[in-house]
Amino acid sequence: MPSEKIHVRTTVNGEATDFLCEANQSLLEVLRDVLYMTGTKEGCNDGNCGACTVNLDGRIVDSCLVLGVEAQGATIETIEGVATPEGLHPIQQAFLENAALQCGICTPGFIVASKALLEREPNPSEHRIRHWLAGNLCRCTGYDKIVRAVVDAAGHMGGKS
Amino acid sequence: MRPIEYVAPTTVDEAVAALAEKGDAARPLAGGTDILVQLRGGRRAVDRIVDVKRIPELNELSYDAQAGLRVGAAVPCHRIYEDEAIAAVYPGLMDVATLIGGIQIQGRASLGGNLCNAAPSGDSIPALIAHNAVAEVAGPGGKRDVPVEDFCTAPGRTVLGPGEFLVALRMPTPPASFGASYLRFIPRNEMDIAVAGAGASVVMDGNTVTACRVALASVAPTPVLAEEAGAALVGKEPTDDALAQAAEAARAAAKPISDMRGTAEYRTHLVGVLTTRALRNAIQRAKEA
Amino acid sequence: MTTVEDRNYKVIGTRPIRHDGADKVTGRAIYGIDYHMTGELWGKILRSPHAHANIVKIDTSKAEALPGVRAVITGRDLPVAADMEVDDGETSINTMHLSNNVMAHRKALYRGHAVAAVAADNQHIAEDAVNLIEVEYEVLPPVLNGREAMKADAPLVHPEQTTKSMAFRFDPGTDTGEKSNIAGRTEMRLGDIDEGFKQADVIVERVFNTNWVHQGYIEAQNATVLWNNDDSIQVWNSSQGTFNQRQLMAEILKHPVSKIRITPQEIGGGFGGKIPVYLEVPAAVLSKKSGRPVKMMMSRAEVFEGTGPASGSETVCKMGATKDGKIVAAYAELVFEAGAFPGSAVGAGAQGMFTTYNIENILIHAYDVVVNKPKSAAYRSPGTPQTCFAAESVVDELAEKVGIDPLEFRIMNAAKEGDRRADGVAHPVMGNLECMVQLKESNHYKSDLGGPNRGRGIASGYWGNAGMPASCAVSVNPDGTVSLAEGSPDIGGSRVSLAMMTAEAFGIPAEDVIPIIKDTDSIGYNGLTAGSSTTLRNGVAIAQVAKQAIDLMKARAARLWETEVDNVDFADGVFFSKAESELKLTFKELAGKLMETGGPISTAASVAPRGAGPSFSTHMVDVEVDPETGKVDILRYTAAQDVGVAIHPDYVEGQVQGGAVQGIGWALNEEYFYDDSGRMMNSSYLDYRMPTSLDLPEIDAILVQVPNPDHPFGVRGVAEISIVPPLGALANAIKAAVGVRMQELPMAPYKIVKALWDKEAESNGAG
């Protein structure tokens, strides 16, 4: 029984973005399979890996645990909105310079989450970084270089580091 | 996920009507961090989702010394721990708001949702009990209050009847020299389900405990108020012996099962350890209050 | 920390930004499931809820009637596969077993075993349709434990299976004719074990158990497959080896290899788990039936229950040493649960078990046993973490008994070049002892533990690494850059390491090499992105293609300079005349003159290198144990590893750190928790409990560089070994902290508390 599609109006990465979705589609599914913004990744689809992290109205959330229809009127920032025409964001640059990724599937989620941290707390301790990122699983790196990259980015973004 | 109908009422009455019309086949949606996983995994089946986040009362977070604290049922965890005044007065709530899920989950999940999900391991529930919280329920028959310790009836089940839903949690302003704490044991340091959890609150007069509540998670079909554990300390100084008696009473109140998260024997043991630690923490906070 | 090995490399040993970096930090990189085709359908698998059951009847009519459903298949839609062994890279597998594993034919052999599949207009309809398929099962008693499965009266997973007896690893074996769940038994023998134990002053014998664990890659298995109208099959997937998967698909589908093309997309982790085929086959059959491309992706629960984890195991380990500290004998009996089909990594586990030590008398009996669990697959140093956990625990106890510091004891017994492994093979040049010595000189080793309930543990490990064939092609671009076509999916940064070796060979910067990963029709055969072999084997191919291209360019220089080609040489990126010193052209300058001197230059090579160069590593960990809860906190961690020549030290360190953390997870919390019916109870990330960032300290990697003499750039495999030592190191640290010897993985908090209770009861009883 295909249900009726619902018209949802949002702002995605600064652009007014409308989409049609069914009520059972998650925001993750809408981003990936309706808007074809495949930068946001699915790792577990139950809120335990953070690969699908997006910023929703100023808070990071697991987009697999948000329905597309719940985003009505919301402002969403995804990995696709982190770099600008001027270049990579300092966090993206720091991930590259610190080799903070191997396979890269978790990287968009880590970058969106780290960006929210540094915008809120410009100079977090290593422990705070590890705590903030505990909702993002990485199976390749052992997290060491990710944590270093966030510390490094904090320095470049004006934190005392 | 099976097809569902989504409605987003803006008043309590509309929400009651939307829920009542479908009975068991409708379910409220707050942060969604439990219900969406259950629907996707086929562990719950509903025809209608009633998104309660657009109802102003469910987003209200207010505190004043007279009226106490009111936490709308859909208020996400981060709003609690980011409100320094509330975090200071309700330390047990602060504890749970910061340990449910990770940062992403805390951006959505609410204490109200955690209570309504009624998991034996629901971390917020012992803390709410420790803070003498009352659940404000709306339904076809109007509003009613339910003490949180009476709210959950079985794993995943609550006192809510057809058309009823949780509007807010209310907690009285704690008296002077009050302290509370919630501790759980998890094998990882975040993103885990309590093997056992203990919430405790105390009111101190000098070095004497004048009131005490202990509540437990993950050791019974629902989170439980361990009345004897609290009673064991009242009127006493919190000596090692007295704390050990409270811990023993808490262990007696625990009726755990063995599963993938731990054996019954281990969980009972943890209840003693966590009760002692939570009480010490609460007493310390009461002295600093 | 890096030990620099000076070979005057210009590019090797530096840390350039990876070539696929911008794509991967912006979300633009296309992973398997990100690939879209017009008209694609979504497929979904129906899986057995029973661990062991005959499939009596499957009724698909209700699913087929659901609007939006385009095709439904069962095992009957697959051809009957041949009963023959095929190479599966790190292990071997029987074609019939492989076919039965991707889709059950008559019997469901584990919970999660695929029994039917649906293609529909979207994933929600496909999911609904799967639930409408009615399967009648005759439930059979499951056999869930390897030791139990070996008993004569155990239910047989495959009633016709007989035991093969093998004299060494990869021996084809002789059929004993005995019907049993024991698929294979292997013996490794060195010296005289009885004589060895006679020399021993102290002997320690213990039994160790490890539970099943999963690789845990964050990207689930997925595939998009088109069975075209001309019967060509195209696959876009997440693969650790496209050529191997092409072969496996050809065998299962009885389809010509030349009619299957696999185009690897970016891969979100694998660690061995993405070597086999799973969804590729049903997606192909669904595509054929529906006439549309079919896209499939597993849920996380399906990944846990329906792919290939690492075997659970039992190891009996007995070792003896003289009172002055020489290990003189080592015996082991290994029982590995292969899962529903034969082919565990028990042979590799046997080979790796005692290999860090020079022991003259060794006997190992290894059993490959089928049980009603998923077919095991490779996982980073397959088989060896389980067996080294046992060996390293016993080695620690021997050291304690003879009163020698555990690291000193390991140094005294360390295997060196020329010493023999259990299988009789002599060690080549390697840095086993060097790792131990470097660790001894580290600040970590010299530091104090500083507190109660704290302990330090040390363990060593070995992994043989693999060679495997590789093919590469280079084309010299007019602007002096080089395009490198290769065929190994880049799972952790191999584009950059391959580009760096290419750059080194041509004397150009790493940024001037453009590495591109090709499909199976665009480049020659490549082995797996596995066995720590990608950089090694491609390095051999790169050295060859570079030499070919440079030789061709020398001829062009000779033509320009009107001299004989023998008079032209090349060094440090410059072509020069040996006769006239003023005649010089940089690589870039000459690249710009190719069109006028005879046209473009490109070269290709295929190689099958031997001499992979083994890996050795020693790890050290400090822990604090909460004796009341059993919780283990990791305070400090250092891993020393012989990495040959570190092409890109950052990514080498990353391999060391990542493997160490996987080992930590295996040691402390990860496991397949089964109920008595064979149902995995914790098939989610929440309950499987892989380490989070908050569970770990910094992981300090000491790169010991002992170049592999058999490799043009000194490379030895670096990726796998790091998962081997953590299990034993943590067990030894916990013993040092609170005095209990943990013999079962994971060393979960409740088990540590129980061990402490038992110890207390014992001392009370004794007192």
Side-chain angles (χ1 to χ4, degrees), chain C residues 714-762:
Chain C
V715 168
R716 64 177 77 234
V718 298
E720 290 171 285
I721 174 73
S722 50
I723 200 174
V724 177
L727 289 60
L730 278 157
N732 294 337
I734 290 166
K735 172 69 166 58
V738 289
V740 292
R741 168 61 60 194
M742 303 303 293
Q743 291 168 236
E744 186 185 311
L745 298 186
M747 297 178 279
Y750 70 91
K751 291 183 194 163
I752 291 175
V753 167
K754 176 80 164 44
L756 287 166
W757 288 343
D758 290 348
K759 185 182 109 181
E760 197 184 325
E762 208 173 284

Side-chain angles (χ1 to χ4, degrees), chain B:
Chain B
M1 200 189 294
R2 294 187 53 80
I4 47 168
E5 181 197 2
Y6 171 87
V7 294
T10 53
T11 68
V12 168
D13 287 348
E14 282 171 29
V16 168
L19 288 164
E21 191 189 354
K22 291 280 184 177
D24 285 348
R27 185 99 183 153
L29 170 72
T33 56
D34 286 314
I35 182 77
L36 294 181
V37 176
Q38 291 159 1
L39 290 173
R40 205 169 279 146
R43 278 176 286 140
R44 265 190 212 275
V46 298
D47 296 335
R48 176 183 285 175
I49 281 285
V50 180
D51 185 348
V52 295
K53 289 190 292 299
R54 296 187 187 268
I55 306 169
E57 283 169 270
L58 276 90
N59 285 318
E60 183 190 336
L61 178 64
S62 62
Y63 166 71
D64 75 69
Q66 283 314 110
L69 177 67
R70 186 185 166 86
V71 185
V75 170
C77 288
H78 76 88
R79 283 183 59 197
I80 294 167
Y81 62 71
E82 284 170 4
D83 187 319
E84 286 175 17
I86 292 172
V89 180
Y90 299 90
L93 284 196
M94 165 78 176
D95 288 344
V96 295
T98 53
L99 61 70
I100 288 175
I103 302 295
Q104 287 92 332
I105 300 293
Q106 291 156 16
R108 298 292 284 175
S110 61
L111 301 186
N114 193 240
L115 176 60
C116 293
N117 189 50
S121 58
D123 287 306
S124 75
I125 305 170
L128 289 166
I129 295 172
H131 277 288
N132 292 289
V134 170
E136 193 178 299
V137 173
K143 284 196 175 174
R144 65 179 176 126
D145 285 348
V146 181
V148 166
E149 56 266 36
D150 298 332
F151 193 87
C152 302
T153 55
R157 296 193 169 275
T158 67
V159 296
L160 293 174
E164 282 193 319
F165 74 105
L166 180 71
V167 175
L169 295 156
R170 291 199 320 267
M171 275 147 273
T173 301
S177 297
F178 172 90
S181 171
Y182 176 76
L183 292 174
R184 65 174 180 183
F185 181 76
I186 54 173
R188 293 194 290 187
N189 287 329
E190 274 283 292
M191 301 296 292
D192 216 333
I193 301 284
V195 179
S201 65
V202 294
V203 181
M204 303 291 292
D205 180 4
N207 200 31
T208 303
V209 177
T210 58
C212 177
R213 277 165 85 84
V214 173
L216 308 171
S218 284
V219 290
T222 66
V224 288
L225 171 65
E227 282 179 279
E228 296 77 6
L233 267 189
V234 174
K236 293 182 191 161
E237 294 195 353
T239 59
D240 287 354
D241 273 357
L243 287 169
Q245 282 171 29
E248 192 49 46
R251 288 159 55 98
K255 303 279 180 281
I257 57 167
S258 291
D259 66 10
M260 61 188 167
R261 299 197 179 102
T263 61
E265 187 186 27
Y266 176 66
R267 283 185 152 133
T268 304
H269 163 76
L270 281 180
V271 163
V273 173
L274 294 170
T275 299
T276 309
R277 291 181 183 182
L279 280 167
R280 284 191 197 281
N281 205 14
I283 290 161
Q284 182 66 29
R285 285 172 170 177
K287 287 179 175 169
E288 288 165 3

Side-chain angles (χ1 to χ4, degrees), chain C residues 447-531:
Chain C
S447 68
D448 286 333
L449 281 164
N453 299 314
R454 293 183 171 190
R456 176 168 295 163
I458 287 162
S460 297
Y462 160 86
W463 174 245
N465 295 324
M468 298 195 257
S471 304
C472 286
V474 290
S475 42
V476 179
N477 299 316
D479 60 356
T481 62
V482 171
S483 296
L484 170 68
E486 43 135 338
S488 305
D490 179 357
I491 206 163
S494 57
R495 278 186 187 87
V496 70
S497 66
L498 270 51
M500 288 170 74
M501 291 185 292
T502 308
E504 191 71 54
F506 283 107
I508 58 178
E511 293 76 12
D512 284 358
V513 178
I514 303 126
I516 302 289
I517 295 160
K518 311 299 277 187
D519 64 65
T520 49
D521 283 320
S522 307
I523 189 81
Y525 188 95
N526 270 268
L528 307 169
T529 297

Side-chain angles (χ1 to χ4, degrees), chain C residues 695-706:
Chain C
D695 299 321
L696 300 158
E698 288 178 16
I699 307 292
D700 196 8
I702 299 176
L703 305 186
V704 177
Q705 303 205 41
V706 178

